């Protein structure tokens, strides 16, 4: 960004103060005025010798010229690199949302990376998933990956009917019975048919786990909220290459977080060629005014007649490629992060063997909390067991199945398995003489959660104690799910929505060099010139408005009966300030300043478009 000022902000303020052009011609003689700054407060500008002696109790008059600055205001143009954008926006960058990243793709890529961390042998129709995590940083109690909680979770995520290990679960007897007697083609085949999936398909596939993670892990995090389907990305996140997300997505408000904050998230979201190009029309106008107690002075004010909102110092059109563009965003932004998820300290038992357990569902929250406080639906939703159950229900909530597995051509000598229909997903295993100790009636997802918990704590090389299977995966080069061109286009509506905030940031203190004028001369919304009495809205923020009797009067008593001004004048484009339209010729008006001192003013207005008028001011003595 070409500028001789030390910071981008000083450049913007200088542009605002000078209204994008030279100061009025008569300001050149005033002390402290330059072509690059607004005229500073002064005494005696445009002042001649007293033109009359005092009459009627008023002192001598001083004469001033008020001009309309009709020079076209050039557009404010900025081209900011990453450092300049960070300097210019400062802490406000934390409040400027760029876009909502659709979380589904990021979660899918994360899960797929985790599932493939130990190879893809699990996809085969084989009892042996052929896991090999030797290329990972997984370490268990013996410093090998084989005893790590991460490996145990991968076993859960990649468990299929073909490779399922159910020793120690309520379904273990069924496996022995089916495989020993060859019922239904063996346990793997029965399991696949019962669940309605392929023998090589995961019990809970990625799409259902994505939904569960969105609802249970993301939506419950204070920084994300909502339905968890989108991750807010702010300007400061992009400018700092997403490093800010380590804190924003870490532990917060009782939530354990989505990422391990000790691991530095990194991403080259913005390349060295990054530039943010902005063009905006300025609504600032430099006005001639009168400080009755001192003389002529100047003020910058917002003259905004462009909807849909009014009062902004700048008009942005972020949807116009000619007025806003971002270049230098990585074509496919990727991120390194450490995904973390914790387990419950205790084993979560299934609600089984009782028809009342059919009500053990998340929509029955109060009943679940009161009746089954140890349920997977009663614990914190971001815990692993709750996520597994939620993913299982998402996949099997409509599952209905009914099949008899015969022995010696008799169903009564074999097994009859029902899933649903009242309600769907509720599984019943009817086995001859209860051989194989079939599991009690329960929801399919509760059974899957039991299998998952046992598998989590019993990796092949050694057991993991309950409560010690919190996991964290270091994931590198994960596609965030949105391309650079998509980012460059997606930010437009977000920035347009926040245009007033950005305008206030860039030019919010345009008033810093304003003089304490009592009235000023400017054009109204209809393009005609009006005399405006200063209002509280013209003052700096938090400044006290001291004028006891605003307005212009035709009598020295300055009573409402002789008020010549009004707040509402058709065409003026303003309903706040006292104002009036001066007729050609001479008009005498009486005005009070902020101290309540009375002044007589005589305005001499030429015919036609009065771009320049004369005012003679005398104070009451």
């Amino acid at each position: 960004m070409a500028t001789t000022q030390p910071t981008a902000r000083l450049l913007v303020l200088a542009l605002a103060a000078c209204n994008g052009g030279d100061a009025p011609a008569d300001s050149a003689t005033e002390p402290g005025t330059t072509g690059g700054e607004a005229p500073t407060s002064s005494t005696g500008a445009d002042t001649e010798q007293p033109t009359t002696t005092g009459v009627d109790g008023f002192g001598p008059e001083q004469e001033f010229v008020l001009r309309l600055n009709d020079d076209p205001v050039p557009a404010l143009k900025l081209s900011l690199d990453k450092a300049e954008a960070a300097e210019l926006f400062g802490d406000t960058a934390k409040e400027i949302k760029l876009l909502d990243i659709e979380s589904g793709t990021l979660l899918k890529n994360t899960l797929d990376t985790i599932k493939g961390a130990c190879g893809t042998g699990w996809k085969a129709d084989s009892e042996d998933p052929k896991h090999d995590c030797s290329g990972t940083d997984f370490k268990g109690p013996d410093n090998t990956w084989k005893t790590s909680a991460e490996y145990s979770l991968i076993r859960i995520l990649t468990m299929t009917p073909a490779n399922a290990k159910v020793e120690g679960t309520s379904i273990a007897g069924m496996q022995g019975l089916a495989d020993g007697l060859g019922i239904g083609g063996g346990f793997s085949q029965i399991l696949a048919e019962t669940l309605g999936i392929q023998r090589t398909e995961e019990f809970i596939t990625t799409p259902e786990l994505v939904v569960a993670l969105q609802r249970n892990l993301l939506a419950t995090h204070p920084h994300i909220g909502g339905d968890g389907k989108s991750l807010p990305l702010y300007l400061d996140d992009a400018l700092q290459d997403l490093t800010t997300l380590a804190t924003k997505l870490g532990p917060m408000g009782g939530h354990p977080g989505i990422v391990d904050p000790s691991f530095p998230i990194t991403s080259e979201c913005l390349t060295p060629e990054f530039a943010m190009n902005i063009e905006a029309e300025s609504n600032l106008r430099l006005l001639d005014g009168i400080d009755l107690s001192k003389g002529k002075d100047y003020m910058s004010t917002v003259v905004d007649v462009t909807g849909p909102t009014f009062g902004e110092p700048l008009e942005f059109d972020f949807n116009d490629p000619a007025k806003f563009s971002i270049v230098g965003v990585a074509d496919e932004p990727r991120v390194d992060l450490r995904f973390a998820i914790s387990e419950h300290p205790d084993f979560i038992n299934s609600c089984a063997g009782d028809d009342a357990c059919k009500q053990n569902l998340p929509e029955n929250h109060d009943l679940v909390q009161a009746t089954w406080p140890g349920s997977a639906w009663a614990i914190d939703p971001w815990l692993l067991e709750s996520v597994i159950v939620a993913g299982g229900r998402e996949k099997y909530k409509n599952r209905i199945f009914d099949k008899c597995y015969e022995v010696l051509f008799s169903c009564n000598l074999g097994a009859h398995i029902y899933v649903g229909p009242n309600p769907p997903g509720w599984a019943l295993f009817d086995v001859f003489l209860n051989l194989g100790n079939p599991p009690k009636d329960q929801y399919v997802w509760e059974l899957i959660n039991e299998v998952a918990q046992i598998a989590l704590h019993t990796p092949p090389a050694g057991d993991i104690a309950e409560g010690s299977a919190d996991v964290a995966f270091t994931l590198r080069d994960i596609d965030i799910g949105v391309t650079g061109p998509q980012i460059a286009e997606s930010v437009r509506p977000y920035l347009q929505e926040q245009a007033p905030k950005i305008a206030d940031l860039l030019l919010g203190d345009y008033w810093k060099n304003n003089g304490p004028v009592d009235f000023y001369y400017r054009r109204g919304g209809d393009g005609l010139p009006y005399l405006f009495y200063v209002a509280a809205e013209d003052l700096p923020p938090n400044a006290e408005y001291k004028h006891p009797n605003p307005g212009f009067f035709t009598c020295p008593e300055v009573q409402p009966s002789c008020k010549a001004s009004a707040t509402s004048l058709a065409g003026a484009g303003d309903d706040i300030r006292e104002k009036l339209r001066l007729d050609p010729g001479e008009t005498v008006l009486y005005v009070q300043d902020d101290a309540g001192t009375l002044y007589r003013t005589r305005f001499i207005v030429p015919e036609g478009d009065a771009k320049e008028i004369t005012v003679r001011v005398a104070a009451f003595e």
Side-chain angles (χ1 to χ4, degrees), residues 342-388:
S342 303
E343 70 154 346
H344 193 270
D346 302 313
F347 188 88
I348 301 299
N349 291 300
S350 298
C351 189
D354 187 338
D355 276 357
C357 289
K358 293 178 180 180
Q359 302 302 313
N360 181 32
L361 295 170
E363 53 264 36
N364 302 324
H365 178 268
D366 292 343
L367 175 64
V368 170
Q369 292 286 345
T371 309
W372 304 288
S375 164
W377 302 116
I379 62 175
D380 289 330
W382 51 74
L383 294 174
L384 177 61
E385 295 87 346
S386 185
V387 171
I388 294 295

Side-chain angles (χ1 to χ4, degrees), residues 53-112:
T53 57
V55 294
D56 298 331
F58 289 90
E61 292 180 328
Q62 288 185 308
E63 182 176 290
F64 307 96
V65 175
L66 299 179
R67 299 183 178 90
L68 296 173
N69 182 12
D70 286 336
D71 293 338
V73 180
L76 174 65
K77 297 182 179 181
L78 297 174
S79 183
L80 308 171
D81 63 21
K82 189 189 298 187
E84 290 166 336
E87 181 183 12
L88 176 61
F89 287 97
D91 285 343
T92 307
K94 299 176 183 178
E95 304 172 9
I96 298 176
K97 183 186 284 189
L98 290 181
L99 72 160
D100 284 311
I101 296 176
E102 194 276 313
S103 67
T105 301
L106 179 59
L107 288 172
K108 175 186 179 300
N109 294 339
T110 296
L111 289 170
D112 287 346

Side-chain angles (χ1 to χ4, degrees), residues 560-580:
S561 59
C562 64
K563 180 179 281 190
S565 60
T567 55
S568 295
L569 288 180
D574 174 85
D575 292 322
I576 297 173
R577 298 160 182 84
E578 291 283 341
K579 54 196 161 293
L580 79 159

